[in-house]
Amino acid sequence: AQDDISNIETEVSSFNIYPNPTSDFINIVSEDYNSKIEIFNHLGETVLTTENNSQIYVGDLIRGVYYLRLGNKTQMFVRN
């Protein structure tokens, strides 16, 4: 199932991701850790889903651009 990601880059982000780019883990700084976290590839396909995490291992993802959605906010990050 594909989600419509056409408006992702125009949404205002209320969380931070670091380091970006990353090769293994990304850390999320947010006031809302209880939301569902989804990571999408450039085609809009969900490649990872988790909840209640402030650190996520992305080392198994292939190199490229990804979009992390936390609640209803989205940010781009690069897996290098």
Side-chain angles (χ1 to χ4, degrees):
Q2 290 190 357
D3 288 297
D4 180 12
I5 63 168
S6 61
N7 66 341
I8 280 181
E9 294 179 291
T10 61
E11 291 181 5
V12 177
S13 298
S14 62
F15 65 96
N16 291 315
I17 300 172
Y18 71 93
N20 188 8
T22 184
S23 59
D24 48 18
F25 287 94
I26 53 173
N27 298 288
I28 301 171
V29 178
S30 174
E31 294 179 2
D32 182 16
Y33 289 110
N34 294 321
S35 292
K36 180 179 177 182
I37 299 168
E38 296 175 284
I39 297 178
F40 302 93
N41 64 17
H42 67 285
L43 299 175
E45 300 166 333
T46 303
V47 295
L48 193 150
T49 302
T50 187
E51 289 187 39
N52 305 325
N53 280 329
S54 60
Q55 186 177 69
I56 301 171
Y57 181 70
V58 295
D60 292 334
L61 300 178
I62 61 170
R63 293 177 179 177
V65 174
Y66 292 89
Y67 299 91
L68 185 145
R69 180 181 293 156
L70 175 63
N72 64 352
K73 305 297 181 192
T74 305
Q75 277 197 26
M76 184 220 43
F77 73 94
V78 176
R79 159 67 174 94
N80 63 0

